[in-house]
Amino acid sequence: IPCLRSPRNPEQKIIKRVIALEGDIIKTIGYKKKYVKVPHGHIWVEGDHHGHSFDSNAFGPVSLGLLHARATHILWPPHRWQKLQPVLPPERKPLHREQE
């Protein structure tokens, strides 16, 4: 789960789930295009709360240059301590993935 600089405000860091990689075709949720092919050097990221998340559905594909770190655990609040699992919700899998 990447930590990246916000495309709209590089001073702000956001944590989102990677939904699609470059070359993948994704069905969007409320983006200006219903389907997007993720361009070279970009990823498609989404938050876990669809419709209430500032993510690629708001700003489009994200440049790999904005990646800053990778989140591995939730530490606060203590009752939520856990290791983050790289799980992609089945309904958000890319429609088509280019072969390398």
Side-chain angles (χ1 to χ4, degrees):
I1 297 180
C3 178
L4 50 122
R5 295 188 187 282
S6 168
R8 293 218 177 127
N9 178 4
E11 298 299 314
Q12 180 185 19
K13 293 180 184 146
I14 57 177
I15 296 176
K16 303 294 172 189
R17 188 177 306 277
V18 175
I19 300 297
L21 304 173
E22 57 187 27
D24 290 348
I25 296 173
I26 187 79
K27 183 177 181 184
T28 68
I29 303 172
Y31 186 59
K32 60 186 174 186
K33 296 180 184 176
K34 187 171 184 173
Y35 298 95
V36 171
K37 181 176 182 181
V38 180
H40 179 74
H42 289 72
I43 55 177
W44 188 269
V45 297
E46 292 182 358
D48 289 340
H49 304 288
H50 303 300
H52 302 288
S53 181
F54 183 61
D55 57 22
S56 285
N57 288 296
F59 47 70
V62 176
S63 170
L64 292 173
L66 293 176
L67 287 178
H68 178 70
R70 190 175 119 210
T72 59
H73 293 78
I74 295 175
L75 301 176
W76 196 260
H79 72 276
R80 291 195 59 215
W81 283 5
Q82 63 181 299
K83 182 176 181 178
L84 294 171
Q85 300 299 321
V87 177
L88 184 62
E91 70 276 6
R92 296 308 300 140
K93 291 189 188 286
L95 300 173
H96 172 74
R97 176 155 281 163
E98 283 188 349
Q99 303 300 319
E100 296 179 10

XYZ file of all heavy atoms in Angstrom:
821
model
N 0.867 -1.163 0.000
C 0.000 0.000 0.000
C 0.912 1.224 0.000
O 1.658 1.428 0.947
C -0.943 -0.009 1.218
C -1.853 -1.239 1.104
C -1.733 1.270 1.308
C -2.841 -1.422 2.203
N 0.869 2.006 -1.085
C 1.824 3.108 -1.197
C 1.412 4.374 -0.449
O 0.241 4.653 -0.277
C 1.848 3.385 -2.699
C 0.479 3.033 -3.159
C 0.072 1.860 -2.301
N 2.409 5.080 -0.028
C 2.255 6.433 0.483
C 2.792 7.319 -0.635
O 3.893 7.085 -1.141
C 3.059 6.615 1.764
S 2.975 8.292 2.421
N 1.999 8.294 -1.066
C 2.429 9.128 -2.183
C 2.080 10.573 -1.927
O 1.296 10.894 -1.050
C 1.777 8.631 -3.477
C 0.273 8.402 -3.465
C -0.382 9.242 -4.528
C 0.012 6.937 -3.734
N 2.711 11.418 -2.687
C 2.412 12.843 -2.601
C 1.148 13.094 -3.417
O 0.976 12.559 -4.495
C 3.565 13.666 -3.139
C 4.808 13.528 -2.299
C 5.896 14.497 -2.742
N 7.132 14.247 -2.033
C 7.378 14.627 -0.783
N 6.473 15.270 -0.097
N 8.525 14.352 -0.217
N 0.266 13.895 -2.876
C -0.986 14.206 -3.549
C -0.703 14.915 -4.871
O 0.090 15.857 -4.908
C -1.854 15.099 -2.663
O -2.934 15.623 -3.396
N -1.348 14.491 -5.966
C -1.155 15.180 -7.250
C -1.632 16.632 -7.217
O -1.144 17.456 -7.966
C -2.013 14.372 -8.226
C -2.164 13.043 -7.596
C -2.161 13.296 -6.106
N -2.568 16.957 -6.331
C -3.087 18.322 -6.252
C -2.301 19.200 -5.291
O -2.295 20.417 -5.429
C -4.556 18.311 -5.854
C -5.416 17.687 -6.940
C -6.728 18.398 -7.069
N -7.494 17.825 -8.162
C -8.729 17.383 -8.050
N -9.350 17.458 -6.891
N -9.355 16.900 -9.098
N -1.657 18.577 -4.294
C -0.877 19.326 -3.312
C 0.317 18.474 -2.898
O 0.205 17.661 -1.988
C -1.741 19.684 -2.095
C -0.948 20.419 -1.028
O 0.224 20.724 -1.210
N -1.591 20.690 0.090
N 1.480 18.654 -3.544
C 2.654 17.829 -3.258
C 3.134 17.872 -1.814
O 3.883 17.018 -1.387
C 3.714 18.376 -4.208
C 2.961 19.059 -5.289
C 1.716 19.579 -4.647
N 2.682 18.861 -1.031
C 3.053 18.927 0.382
C 2.274 17.908 1.209
O 2.677 17.555 2.304
C 2.800 20.334 0.929
C 3.623 21.414 0.244
C 5.114 21.207 0.406
O 5.562 20.917 1.533
O 5.838 21.317 -0.598
N 1.144 17.451 0.674
C 0.283 16.504 1.387
C 0.629 15.074 0.972
O 0.812 14.781 -0.206
C -1.183 16.793 1.043
C -2.157 15.874 1.714
C -3.593 16.127 1.252
O -3.817 16.731 0.208
N -4.543 15.652 2.027
N 0.711 14.180 1.954
C 0.949 12.760 1.662
C -0.352 12.004 1.866
O -1.097 12.269 2.810
C 2.047 12.206 2.559
C 3.383 12.821 2.229
C 4.471 12.287 3.093
C 5.748 13.029 2.749
N 6.594 13.218 3.883
N -0.638 11.060 0.954
C -1.854 10.260 1.036
C -1.487 8.782 0.947
O -0.470 8.424 0.354
C -2.874 10.650 -0.056
C -2.282 10.523 -1.463
C -3.387 12.066 0.169
C -3.241 10.828 -2.595
N -2.296 7.942 1.562
C -2.087 6.496 1.511
C -3.294 5.891 0.812
O -4.432 6.091 1.236
C -1.927 5.898 2.919
C -0.671 6.469 3.579
C -1.863 4.379 2.848
C -0.471 6.024 5.012
N -3.043 5.171 -0.270
C -4.104 4.574 -1.083
C -3.704 3.172 -1.497
O -2.541 2.782 -1.424
C -4.357 5.412 -2.341
C -4.726 6.857 -2.068
C -6.056 6.970 -1.377
C -6.342 8.391 -0.936
N -7.510 8.493 -0.102
N -4.673 2.432 -1.988
C -4.451 1.078 -2.487
C -4.226 1.145 -4.004
O -4.971 1.826 -4.705
C -5.691 0.234 -2.178
C -5.559 -1.221 -2.450
C -6.816 -1.961 -2.034
N -7.203 -1.725 -0.641
C -6.693 -2.367 0.402
N -5.774 -3.285 0.224
N -7.102 -2.104 1.620
N -3.194 0.454 -4.512
C -2.951 0.395 -5.956
C -3.978 -0.554 -6.563
O -4.073 -1.713 -6.183
C -1.520 -0.086 -6.285
C -1.344 -0.257 -7.785
C -0.492 0.894 -5.741
N -4.758 -0.040 -7.509
C -5.808 -0.821 -8.160
C -5.345 -1.322 -9.527
O -5.681 -2.426 -9.942
C -7.092 0.030 -8.315
C -7.604 0.491 -6.942
C -8.172 -0.708 -9.082
C -8.031 -0.638 -6.022
N -4.569 -0.499 -10.243
C -4.124 -0.879 -11.585
C -2.737 -0.304 -11.861
O -2.374 0.751 -11.337
C -5.117 -0.391 -12.638
N -1.997 -1.016 -12.694
C -0.649 -0.613 -13.089
C -0.656 -0.100 -14.525
O -1.662 -0.232 -15.234
C 0.300 -1.805 -12.965
C 0.368 -2.470 -11.594
C 1.213 -3.737 -11.661
C 0.920 -1.502 -10.558
N 0.470 0.446 -14.958
C 0.558 0.965 -16.326
C 0.146 -0.109 -17.327
O 0.471 -1.283 -17.179
C 1.958 1.477 -16.617
C 3.053 0.466 -16.422
C 4.439 1.061 -16.566
O 4.645 2.264 -16.320
O 5.330 0.285 -16.920
N -0.653 0.297 -18.313
C -1.135 -0.621 -19.340
C -2.450 -1.299 -19.002
O -3.132 -1.814 -19.878
N -2.853 -1.298 -17.735
C -4.118 -1.903 -17.338
C -5.286 -1.008 -17.754
O -5.169 0.216 -17.788
C -4.192 -2.093 -15.819
C -3.252 -3.161 -15.291
O -2.699 -3.928 -16.103
O -3.078 -3.221 -14.059
N -6.419 -1.629 -18.026
C -7.655 -0.892 -18.284
C -8.544 -1.098 -17.066
O -8.802 -2.224 -16.652
C -8.347 -1.379 -19.564
C -7.450 -1.104 -20.779
C -9.714 -0.690 -19.726
C -7.952 -1.696 -22.072
N -9.017 0.012 -16.500
C -9.810 -0.023 -15.277
C -11.151 0.657 -15.515
O -11.221 1.640 -16.235
C -9.038 0.643 -14.100
C -9.750 0.472 -12.772
C -8.770 2.101 -14.342
C -9.560 -0.872 -12.162
N -12.213 0.088 -14.937
C -13.514 0.755 -14.932
C -13.502 1.697 -13.736
O -13.301 1.276 -12.603
C -14.646 -0.256 -14.812
C -16.009 0.390 -14.873
C -17.111 -0.655 -14.832
C -18.458 0.034 -14.918
N -19.552 -0.936 -14.781
N -13.710 2.963 -13.983
C -13.597 3.970 -12.929
C -14.900 4.101 -12.144
O -15.947 3.577 -12.549
C -13.199 5.335 -13.521
O -14.275 5.830 -14.310
C -11.938 5.225 -14.374
N -14.821 4.824 -11.050
C -15.992 5.102 -10.215
C -16.133 6.621 -10.131
O -15.511 7.266 -9.300
C -15.822 4.513 -8.801
C -15.568 3.021 -8.856
C -17.054 4.824 -7.944
C -15.210 2.411 -7.510
N -16.896 7.205 -11.048
C -17.144 8.639 -11.003
C -16.088 9.513 -11.653
O -16.159 10.735 -11.555
N -15.092 8.933 -12.315
C -14.084 9.731 -13.018
C -14.707 10.266 -14.310
O -15.746 9.780 -14.747
C -12.859 8.852 -13.312
C -11.676 9.578 -13.909
C -11.069 10.627 -13.241
C -11.163 9.201 -15.140
C -9.974 11.282 -13.778
C -10.067 9.851 -15.687
C -9.478 10.893 -15.007
O -8.401 11.545 -15.549
N -14.080 11.248 -14.953
C -14.656 11.847 -16.158
C -14.788 10.861 -17.312
O -15.599 11.067 -18.202
C -13.855 13.080 -16.578
C -12.398 12.806 -16.889
C -11.651 14.090 -17.147
C -10.180 13.829 -17.311
N -9.417 15.053 -17.419
N -14.005 9.784 -17.324
C -14.132 8.716 -18.323
C -14.548 7.447 -17.597
O -14.089 7.177 -16.492
C -12.803 8.464 -19.025
C -12.290 9.615 -19.842
C -10.963 9.222 -20.467
C -10.350 10.370 -21.235
N -9.026 10.003 -21.758
N -15.408 6.639 -18.226
C -15.873 5.412 -17.586
C -14.771 4.359 -17.531
O -14.673 3.590 -16.583
C -17.088 4.870 -18.336
C -17.745 3.700 -17.639
C -19.061 3.327 -18.280
C -19.711 2.210 -17.479
N -21.049 1.910 -17.944
N -13.919 4.334 -18.564
C -12.803 3.388 -18.626
C -11.520 4.160 -18.890
O -11.507 5.119 -19.650
C -13.010 2.367 -19.755
C -14.243 1.530 -19.558
C -15.442 1.876 -20.160
C -14.217 0.395 -18.745
C -16.588 1.114 -19.963
C -15.350 -0.367 -18.541
C -16.533 0.000 -19.153
O -17.655 -0.756 -18.949
N -10.442 3.731 -18.239
C -9.146 4.388 -18.408
C -8.083 3.319 -18.619
O -8.039 2.325 -17.892
C -8.779 5.241 -17.168
C -7.352 5.735 -17.234
C -9.741 6.399 -17.007
N -7.223 3.551 -19.607
C -6.014 2.741 -19.752
C -4.912 3.520 -19.036
O -4.613 4.659 -19.399
C -5.658 2.516 -21.212
C -4.412 1.651 -21.371
C -4.119 1.354 -22.823
C -2.890 0.457 -22.918
N -2.563 0.159 -24.311
N -4.338 2.906 -18.011
C -3.329 3.588 -17.204
C -2.077 3.799 -18.058
O -1.522 2.841 -18.596
C -3.002 2.774 -15.928
C -1.959 3.487 -15.089
C -4.265 2.511 -15.114
N -1.645 5.058 -18.223
C -0.491 5.339 -19.073
C 0.830 4.822 -18.504
O 0.944 4.550 -17.301
C -0.466 6.859 -19.178
C -1.481 7.391 -18.259
C -2.247 6.253 -17.659
N 1.821 4.736 -19.364
C 3.167 4.321 -18.974
C 3.671 5.247 -17.868
O 3.507 6.455 -17.922
C 4.098 4.378 -20.192
C 5.506 3.997 -19.866
N 5.878 2.699 -19.624
C 6.619 4.757 -19.708
C 7.167 2.667 -19.339
N 7.640 3.908 -19.388
N 4.283 4.678 -16.830
C 4.845 5.464 -15.739
C 3.821 5.939 -14.726
O 4.111 6.833 -13.931
N 2.624 5.350 -14.742
C 1.556 5.761 -13.832
C 0.897 4.541 -13.173
O 1.059 3.415 -13.637
C 0.479 6.540 -14.597
C 0.926 7.886 -15.037
N 1.826 8.076 -16.063
C 0.597 9.125 -14.596
C 2.034 9.373 -16.230
N 1.299 10.021 -15.354
N 0.139 4.806 -12.107
C -0.682 3.796 -11.443
C -2.057 4.397 -11.177
O -2.226 5.615 -11.232
C -0.058 3.312 -10.111
C 0.226 4.484 -9.174
C 1.192 2.481 -10.362
C 0.769 4.096 -7.799
N -3.027 3.539 -10.891
C -4.370 3.976 -10.505
C -4.536 3.607 -9.033
O -4.340 2.453 -8.657
C -5.419 3.265 -11.351
C -6.803 3.796 -11.151
C -7.727 3.353 -10.249
C -7.410 4.875 -11.849
N -8.881 4.084 -10.350
C -8.718 5.040 -11.333
C -6.987 5.736 -12.861
C -9.593 5.996 -11.798
C -7.862 6.691 -13.324
C -9.147 6.824 -12.796
N -4.851 4.595 -8.192
C -4.980 4.350 -6.754
C -6.379 4.713 -6.279
O -7.019 5.611 -6.824
C -3.923 5.136 -5.936
C -2.518 4.693 -6.280
C -4.072 6.638 -6.114
N -6.846 3.976 -5.264
C -8.157 4.266 -4.688
C -8.107 4.066 -3.183
O -7.355 3.230 -2.676
C -9.235 3.341 -5.270
C -9.509 3.621 -6.736
C -10.603 2.737 -7.312
O -11.148 1.866 -6.601
O -10.908 2.924 -8.507
N -8.940 4.821 -2.482
C -9.115 4.641 -1.048
C -10.124 3.527 -0.798
O -10.794 3.056 -1.707
N -10.232 3.126 0.439
C -11.145 2.038 0.789
C -12.598 2.479 0.909
O -13.493 1.649 0.959
C -10.708 1.382 2.098
C -9.432 0.575 1.930
O -9.090 0.215 0.788
O -8.779 0.303 2.952
N -12.856 3.775 0.953
C -14.215 4.285 1.124
C -14.667 4.958 -0.176
O -14.587 6.176 -0.319
C -14.284 5.250 2.306
C -13.785 4.636 3.571
N -14.483 3.668 4.258
C -12.635 4.822 4.255
C -13.799 3.296 5.312
N -12.665 3.978 5.333
N -15.147 4.144 -1.120
C -15.564 4.647 -2.434
C -16.596 5.765 -2.292
O -17.511 5.673 -1.495
C -16.139 3.513 -3.277
C -15.185 2.375 -3.464
N -13.962 2.526 -4.079
C -15.262 1.075 -3.110
C -13.341 1.372 -4.095
N -14.103 0.469 -3.504
N -16.405 6.801 -3.069
C -17.308 7.938 -3.023
C -16.943 8.961 -1.957
O -17.431 10.076 -1.982
N -16.091 8.575 -1.021
C -15.673 9.495 0.047
C -14.155 9.560 0.130
O -13.601 9.844 1.171
C -16.230 9.036 1.399
C -17.716 8.942 1.422
N -18.528 10.042 1.424
C -18.542 7.870 1.413
C -19.789 9.662 1.420
N -19.831 8.341 1.413
N -13.490 9.257 -0.987
C -12.035 9.189 -0.974
C -11.454 10.084 -2.062
O -11.951 10.124 -3.181
C -11.597 7.735 -1.207
O -10.204 7.638 -1.184
N -10.406 10.810 -1.705
C -9.681 11.641 -2.667
C -8.642 10.738 -3.326
O -7.591 10.474 -2.758
C -9.039 12.820 -1.940
C -8.326 13.775 -2.836
C -8.999 14.448 -3.836
C -6.976 14.003 -2.675
C -8.335 15.338 -4.669
C -6.299 14.888 -3.494
C -6.982 15.558 -4.496
N -8.973 10.206 -4.520
C -8.119 9.213 -5.151
C -8.131 9.384 -6.666
O -8.535 10.440 -7.168
C -8.547 7.802 -4.737
C -10.009 7.477 -5.042
O -10.611 8.130 -5.923
O -10.555 6.555 -4.414
N -7.697 8.384 -7.415
C -7.623 8.488 -8.869
C -8.976 8.760 -9.514
O -9.038 9.321 -10.604
C -7.008 7.217 -9.476
O -5.613 7.193 -9.250
N -10.062 8.396 -8.860
C -11.376 8.718 -9.406
C -11.626 10.219 -9.377
O -12.487 10.717 -10.093
C -12.471 7.967 -8.638
C -12.438 6.489 -8.968
O -12.676 6.101 -10.111
N -12.115 5.669 -7.996
N -10.863 10.955 -8.582
C -10.949 12.416 -8.543
C -9.874 13.064 -9.410
O -10.138 14.034 -10.110
C -10.812 12.912 -7.102
N -8.641 12.512 -9.398
C -7.545 13.181 -10.091
C -6.898 12.376 -11.203
O -5.974 12.849 -11.849
C -6.475 13.681 -9.111
C -6.037 12.681 -8.071
C -5.289 11.578 -8.408
C -6.375 12.870 -6.749
C -4.871 10.670 -7.444
C -5.973 11.982 -5.766
C -5.212 10.864 -6.126
N -7.340 11.152 -11.464
C -6.803 10.362 -12.576
C -5.566 9.559 -12.208
O -5.212 9.437 -11.033
N -4.901 8.993 -13.217
C -3.690 8.196 -12.970
C -2.618 9.029 -12.270
O -2.508 10.225 -12.480
C -3.239 7.794 -14.371
C -4.465 7.902 -15.213
C -5.256 9.032 -14.628
N -1.828 8.374 -11.445
C -0.796 9.036 -10.645
C 0.585 8.654 -11.170
O 0.868 7.476 -11.383
C -0.907 8.606 -9.159
C 0.208 9.194 -8.336
C -2.255 9.002 -8.603
N 1.431 9.654 -11.357
C 2.799 9.415 -11.793
C 3.576 8.619 -10.751
O 3.470 8.886 -9.549
C 3.512 10.748 -12.039
O 4.891 10.545 -12.247
N 4.359 7.647 -11.203
C 5.189 6.870 -10.283
C 6.174 7.761 -9.532
O 6.627 7.420 -8.449
C 5.944 5.777 -11.043
C 5.067 4.650 -11.607
C 5.893 3.725 -12.489
C 4.407 3.876 -10.485
N 6.484 8.923 -10.096
C 7.387 9.861 -9.439
C 6.836 10.428 -8.141
O 7.586 10.981 -7.337
N 5.531 10.301 -7.915
C 4.922 10.805 -6.685
C 4.950 9.779 -5.552
O 4.615 10.098 -4.419
C 3.473 11.248 -6.939
C 3.317 12.472 -7.839
C 1.847 12.753 -8.108
C 3.988 13.690 -7.219
N 5.347 8.536 -5.865
C 5.445 7.522 -4.818
C 6.529 7.933 -3.836
O 7.613 8.352 -4.220
C 5.778 6.154 -5.404
C 4.661 5.457 -6.152
C 5.155 4.135 -6.726
C 3.464 5.224 -5.268
N 6.223 7.777 -2.561
C 7.137 8.256 -1.533
C 7.602 7.125 -0.605
O 8.746 7.076 -0.205
C 6.418 9.350 -0.731
C 7.201 9.911 0.388
N 8.304 10.708 0.195
C 7.061 9.787 1.724
C 8.795 11.050 1.367
N 8.065 10.512 2.318
N 6.688 6.232 -0.266
C 6.988 5.158 0.683
C 5.924 4.071 0.546
O 5.045 4.169 -0.293
C 7.012 5.697 2.113
N 6.017 3.058 1.406
C 5.026 1.987 1.416
C 4.548 1.769 2.849
O 5.357 1.596 3.755
C 5.646 0.706 0.873
C 4.627 -0.378 0.636
C 5.271 -1.573 -0.010
N 5.085 -2.683 0.916
C 5.904 -3.699 1.049
N 6.997 -3.757 0.329
N 5.660 -4.642 1.900
N 3.230 1.803 3.039
C 2.662 1.555 4.364
C 2.560 0.051 4.572
O 2.083 -0.672 3.707
C 1.283 2.208 4.473
N 3.014 -0.419 5.735
C 2.984 -1.855 6.022
C 2.125 -2.200 7.238
O 1.692 -3.335 7.364
C 4.406 -2.394 6.255
O 4.991 -1.694 7.364
C 5.272 -2.227 5.023
N 1.903 -1.228 8.138
C 1.170 -1.501 9.371
C 0.313 -0.305 9.776
O 0.635 0.828 9.432
C 2.136 -1.784 10.529
C 2.902 -3.039 10.378
N 3.993 -3.168 9.545
C 2.731 -4.257 10.960
C 4.467 -4.391 9.609
N 3.721 -5.073 10.468
N -0.756 -0.571 10.520
C -1.516 0.470 11.209
C -1.036 0.439 12.656
O -1.058 -0.611 13.299
C -3.032 0.212 11.146
C -3.529 0.306 9.707
C -3.780 1.206 12.040
C -4.995 -0.064 9.534
N -0.563 1.579 13.158
C -0.031 1.649 14.518
C -0.915 2.447 15.462
O -0.810 2.291 16.676
C 1.368 2.265 14.500
C 2.413 1.525 13.666
C 3.717 2.293 13.672
C 2.609 0.116 14.185
N -1.745 3.327 14.918
C -2.558 4.171 15.783
C -3.955 4.260 15.246
O -4.120 4.382 14.046
C -1.932 5.576 15.868
C -2.478 6.352 17.007
C -3.447 7.306 16.956
C -2.105 6.219 18.372
N -3.700 7.779 18.197
C -2.881 7.118 19.095
C -1.199 5.419 19.057
C -2.792 7.262 20.468
C -1.104 5.556 20.414
C -1.891 6.481 21.119
N -4.944 4.182 16.022
C -4.925 3.979 17.461
C -4.566 2.535 17.806
O -4.737 1.641 16.969
C -6.350 4.325 17.897
C -7.181 4.093 16.679
C -6.299 4.363 15.495
N -4.100 2.297 19.023
C -3.616 0.964 19.399
C -4.603 -0.171 19.163
O -4.199 -1.266 18.807
C -3.297 1.111 20.892
C -2.962 2.559 21.054
C -3.871 3.284 20.097
N -5.911 0.083 19.302
C -6.867 -1.003 19.100
C -6.944 -1.442 17.625
O -7.522 -2.472 17.326
C -8.261 -0.619 19.629
C -8.987 0.391 18.797
N -8.774 1.750 18.943
C -9.913 0.248 17.824
C -9.542 2.399 18.079
N -10.247 1.517 17.393
N -6.332 -0.685 16.721
C -6.332 -1.045 15.300
C -4.984 -1.593 14.835
O -4.779 -1.789 13.642
C -6.705 0.178 14.452
C -8.162 0.585 14.632
C -8.632 1.532 13.558
N -8.496 0.919 12.247
C -8.166 1.600 11.149
N -7.945 2.894 11.196
N -8.065 0.981 9.998
N -4.032 -1.848 15.722
C -2.722 -2.366 15.332
C -2.900 -3.588 14.462
O -3.577 -4.541 14.821
C -1.899 -2.748 16.543
C -1.285 -1.583 17.266
C -1.455 -0.264 17.012
C -0.409 -1.665 18.381
N -0.746 0.484 17.902
C -0.082 -0.348 18.753
C 0.134 -2.711 19.097
C 0.759 -0.055 19.801
C 0.972 -2.422 20.154
C 1.283 -1.104 20.493
N -2.280 -3.546 13.284
C -2.342 -4.692 12.376
C -1.375 -4.506 11.218
O -0.972 -3.397 10.908
C -3.755 -4.882 11.829
C -4.250 -3.717 10.978
C -5.646 -3.920 10.488
O -5.907 -4.870 9.767
N -6.564 -3.041 10.887
N -1.011 -5.602 10.608
C -0.224 -5.566 9.382
C -1.200 -5.377 8.226
O -2.255 -6.011 8.193
C 0.557 -6.876 9.210
C 1.425 -6.868 7.982
C 2.255 -8.126 7.873
C 3.105 -8.003 6.612
N 3.964 -9.143 6.434
N -0.868 -4.480 7.315
C -1.726 -4.254 6.154
C -1.517 -5.365 5.130
O -0.387 -5.729 4.830
C -1.423 -2.892 5.527
C -1.771 -1.685 6.403
C -1.238 -0.412 5.775
C -3.267 -1.600 6.613
N -2.606 -5.879 4.620
C -2.550 -6.945 3.618
C -2.768 -6.353 2.226
O -3.663 -5.526 2.041
C -3.635 -7.997 3.910
C -3.504 -8.649 5.266
C -2.186 -9.382 5.433
O -1.686 -10.018 4.523
N -1.615 -9.283 6.625
N -1.985 -6.790 1.250
C -2.141 -6.272 -0.117
C -3.312 -6.955 -0.834
O -3.136 -7.735 -1.762
C -0.798 -6.616 -0.770
C -0.348 -7.841 -0.046
C -0.854 -7.691 1.371
N -4.519 -6.673 -0.375
C -5.718 -7.300 -0.924
C -6.416 -6.326 -1.865
O -6.642 -5.170 -1.505
C -6.677 -7.721 0.216
C -7.951 -8.306 -0.334
C -5.988 -8.688 1.155
N -6.763 -6.806 -3.041
C -7.498 -6.010 -4.010
C -8.935 -6.500 -4.039
O -9.173 -7.679 -4.289
C -6.861 -6.156 -5.400
C -7.429 -5.319 -6.516
C -7.260 -3.839 -6.209
C -6.726 -5.646 -7.824
N -9.900 -5.626 -3.731
C -11.290 -6.071 -3.778
C -11.616 -6.649 -5.163
O -11.241 -6.063 -6.178
C -12.093 -4.785 -3.522
C -11.131 -3.863 -2.847
C -9.779 -4.213 -3.387
N -12.297 -7.797 -5.234
C -12.554 -8.453 -6.522
C -13.263 -7.553 -7.530
O -12.984 -7.619 -8.727
C -13.420 -9.662 -6.167
C -13.437 -9.768 -4.698
C -12.869 -8.519 -4.111
N -14.149 -6.685 -7.050
C -14.889 -5.811 -7.976
C -14.028 -4.678 -8.529
O -14.449 -3.969 -9.433
C -16.148 -5.252 -7.297
C -15.897 -4.247 -6.197
C -15.599 -4.861 -4.826
O -15.464 -6.090 -4.694
O -15.485 -4.070 -3.872
N -12.808 -4.503 -8.027
C -11.930 -3.432 -8.498
C -10.745 -3.951 -9.303
O -9.835 -3.202 -9.619
C -11.420 -2.608 -7.311
C -12.484 -1.874 -6.549
C -13.405 -1.018 -7.412
N -12.665 0.001 -8.140
C -12.941 0.338 -9.400
N -13.897 -0.247 -10.061
N -12.241 1.259 -9.994
N -10.729 -5.206 -9.670
C -9.629 -5.736 -10.486
C -9.677 -5.112 -11.879
O -10.757 -4.818 -12.382
C -9.728 -7.256 -10.590
C -9.435 -7.954 -9.274
C -9.319 -9.446 -9.467
C -9.221 -10.169 -8.152
N -8.018 -10.096 -7.452
N -8.519 -4.887 -12.511
C -8.506 -4.337 -13.867
C -9.289 -5.232 -14.829
O -9.331 -6.456 -14.682
C -7.022 -4.317 -14.234
C -6.312 -4.280 -12.925
C -7.183 -5.077 -11.981
N -9.909 -4.608 -15.837
C -10.655 -5.350 -16.846
C -9.719 -6.052 -17.808
O -10.029 -7.099 -18.348
C -11.573 -4.396 -17.627
C -12.601 -3.665 -16.774
C -13.335 -2.638 -17.620
C -13.570 -4.649 -16.151
N -8.554 -5.430 -18.038
C -7.571 -5.998 -18.955
C -6.183 -5.629 -18.448
O -5.945 -4.508 -18.047
C -7.769 -5.429 -20.371
C -6.691 -5.825 -21.326
N -6.606 -7.101 -21.835
C -5.647 -5.157 -21.862
C -5.559 -7.169 -22.652
N -4.967 -5.991 -22.669
N -5.290 -6.592 -18.461
C -3.912 -6.353 -18.048
C -3.011 -6.704 -19.231
O -3.090 -7.798 -19.760
C -3.577 -7.210 -16.830
C -2.110 -7.065 -16.429
C -1.886 -7.378 -14.991
N -2.300 -6.217 -14.211
C -2.540 -6.245 -12.919
N -2.440 -7.349 -12.245
N -2.874 -5.171 -12.277
N -2.186 -5.722 -19.637
C -1.246 -5.979 -20.731
C -0.207 -7.003 -20.307
O 0.248 -6.988 -19.167
C -0.535 -4.674 -21.145
C -1.397 -3.771 -21.980
C -0.612 -2.605 -22.535
O 0.545 -2.369 -22.111
O -1.157 -1.918 -23.409
N 0.155 -7.877 -21.213
C 1.198 -8.858 -20.947
C 2.561 -8.206 -21.135
O 2.753 -7.412 -22.029
C 1.062 -10.061 -21.895
C -0.304 -10.734 -21.804
C -0.600 -11.267 -20.413
O 0.258 -11.824 -19.760
N -1.828 -11.059 -19.959
N 3.509 -8.556 -20.274
C 4.854 -7.952 -20.370
C 5.699 -8.668 -21.393
O 5.557 -9.783 -21.691
C 5.523 -8.006 -18.998
C 4.763 -7.154 -18.007
C 5.393 -7.203 -16.626
O 6.509 -7.733 -16.476
O 4.787 -6.680 -15.707
